Amino acid sequence: MQKVAVIGAGTMGNGIAHVFAQHGFAVHLVDVSQQALDKALDTIIRNLNRQLSKESITEADKQQTISNLHTFTSLAAGVQNVDLVVEAATENVELKLKIFRELDEHTGPDVILASNTSSISITKIAAVTQKPGKVIGMHFMNPVPVMKLVEIINGYATEKSVTEHITELSKKLGKVPSVANDYPGFIANRILMPMINEAIYTLYEGVGGVEEIDTVMKLGMAHPMGPLQLADFIGLDVCLSILNVLYDGFGNQKYAPCPLLVNMVTAGYLGAKSGEGFYKYTAGSKDLVVSERFL
């Protein structure tokens, strides 16, 4: 495997492209927006400079990584002659199905098609292609260059050889693979999202404040980040979307999103990316400031 296409130049896409390029792969980064591609390259270079300052890479490593990156605004052109495609578009079912239909049309029968989805069924995605055995989940964690885990998800039809190949590939990227089967939320979000939702309910019902809830989980349970801060970091809209997948998939009330979460997303308070969620975020500041709405 020499060439990899990454579909989507957002936070996850540029991180995935960074990691593959740093490990010697020719990477085709594909997005419909040239502006998004330019921003992604700027982000990758900034992150490489951070690695350089920490002496985890050399200047030669940095330049080689940059030279391995190639951008495309055409999906058909971007996936030509690649061995693997990793889709990292927005967590939207219809969008992902549309992309996989196009990938199926423009790639050969042996090309592995992976999705970075955190919750959408791999079996459902694979079903819109003519090669469901070659479709697999490859769920990286954010920030991709730093986080070690790759959650590998088998669809119902995923070939064993594909799972083995992606497992070994993840190790070559310096990651630790963990294989899951295709049920709502997989492993990571089936466990994480109910915890975040319960933390939001704890705030909603007045059991504790934002800072108190996060402090208990950080100091009492040795979590590096409290669940409310983590929700802000993930994006409250993403949390809501995943909880809806869990609720729809299992039909169990315990996965029903907290009304507070629904209201915050509806009002546009999405966490760090919108500037305010449970905490307020100011450009250039690393201070953790609780939103005035919860004081």
Side-chain angles (χ1 to χ4, degrees):
M1 187 173 286
Q2 300 296 323
K3 289 185 179 179
V4 176
V6 178
I7 312 300
T11 301
M12 296 305 294
N14 76 60
I16 293 166
H18 175 156
V19 169
F20 272 104
Q22 190 174 327
H23 286 82
F25 294 86
V27 177
H28 294 184
L29 183 57
V30 182
D31 199 287
V32 293
S33 166
Q34 185 61 52
Q35 183 179 4
L37 290 167
D38 293 341
K39 183 179 178 182
L41 289 178
D42 287 344
T43 299
I44 292 169
I45 290 169
R46 188 165 62 249
N47 288 335
L48 286 168
N49 286 335
R50 187 175 293 115
Q51 290 176 300
L52 189 61
S53 69
K54 294 179 179 179
E55 300 183 345
S56 58
I57 62 170
T58 65
E59 180 64 32
D61 294 331
K62 172 188 166 182
Q63 295 305 325
Q64 184 61 56
T65 299
I66 294 170
S67 71
N68 285 339
L69 291 162
H70 312 275
T71 61
F72 296 81
T73 53
S74 164
L75 183 143
V79 300
Q80 289 301 305
N81 302 314
V82 301
D83 306 296
L84 168 70
V85 180
V86 181
E87 170 274 316
T90 304
E91 194 75 350
N92 176 284
V93 175
E94 294 308 317
L95 175 61
K96 289 187 186 292
L97 297 183
K98 178 178 180 291
I99 289 171
F100 272 80
R101 288 187 188 101
E102 292 181 30
L103 291 175
D104 193 47
E105 180 182 347
H106 295 294
T107 58
D110 295 324
V111 176
I112 297 173
L113 305 180
S115 176
N116 182 59
T117 181
S118 58
S119 62
I120 297 168
S121 168
I122 298 301
T123 303
K124 184 172 186 175
I125 291 171
V128 302
T129 75
Q130 298 300 310
K131 50 182 178 186
K134 300 295 183 184
V135 179
I136 194 166
M138 200 175 185
H139 178 205
F140 290 84
M141 305 293 138
N142 185 31
V144 181
V146 176
M147 299 292 278
K148 288 290 187 183
L149 177 67
V150 177
E151 187 179 29
I152 297 169
I153 304 99
N154 287 321
Y156 190 80
T158 304
E159 296 169 5
K160 185 178 179 180
S161 61
V162 170
T163 306
E164 292 171 349
H165 190 84
I166 294 300
T167 298
E168 289 306 310
L169 176 63
S170 299
K171 293 176 182 177
K172 289 178 182 177
L173 296 176
K175 304 299 184 184
V176 178
S178 183
V179 179
N181 289 318
D182 187 22
Y183 293 96
F186 317 136
I187 294 173
N189 281 319
R190 183 168 177 175
I191 296 169
L192 175 63
M193 286 303 153
M195 182 192 75
I196 286 176
N197 199 40
E198 196 62 31
I200 299 170
Y201 263 114
T202 304
L203 176 66
Y204 175 63
E205 294 172 356
V207 180
V210 170
E211 193 171 10
E212 288 74 16
I213 291 166
D214 277 355
T215 297
V216 165
M217 296 306 290
K218 285 189 288 186
L219 300 185
M221 285 67 182
H223 291 198
M225 188 182 292
L228 300 177
Q229 185 188 358
L230 179 56
D232 273 358
F233 183 70
I234 293 168
L236 302 190
D237 53 337
V238 176
C239 293
L240 178 59
S241 175
I242 296 169
L243 282 164
N244 281 330
V245 168
L246 289 167
Y247 186 46
D248 292 344
F250 291 115
N252 190 320
Q253 191 64 29
K254 74 178 181 179
Y255 298 113
C258 178
L260 174 59
L261 174 62
V262 175
N263 278 347
M264 291 177 73
V265 172
T266 302
Y269 294 89
L270 308 181
K273 62 184 172 185
S274 70
E276 187 173 349
F278 296 106
Y279 295 89
K280 197 159 187 175
Y281 302 88
T282 305
S285 173
K286 292 185 178 180
D287 294 337
L288 200 57
V289 179
V290 175
S291 167
E292 293 173 359
R293 296 172 180 277
F294 300 111
L295 294 178

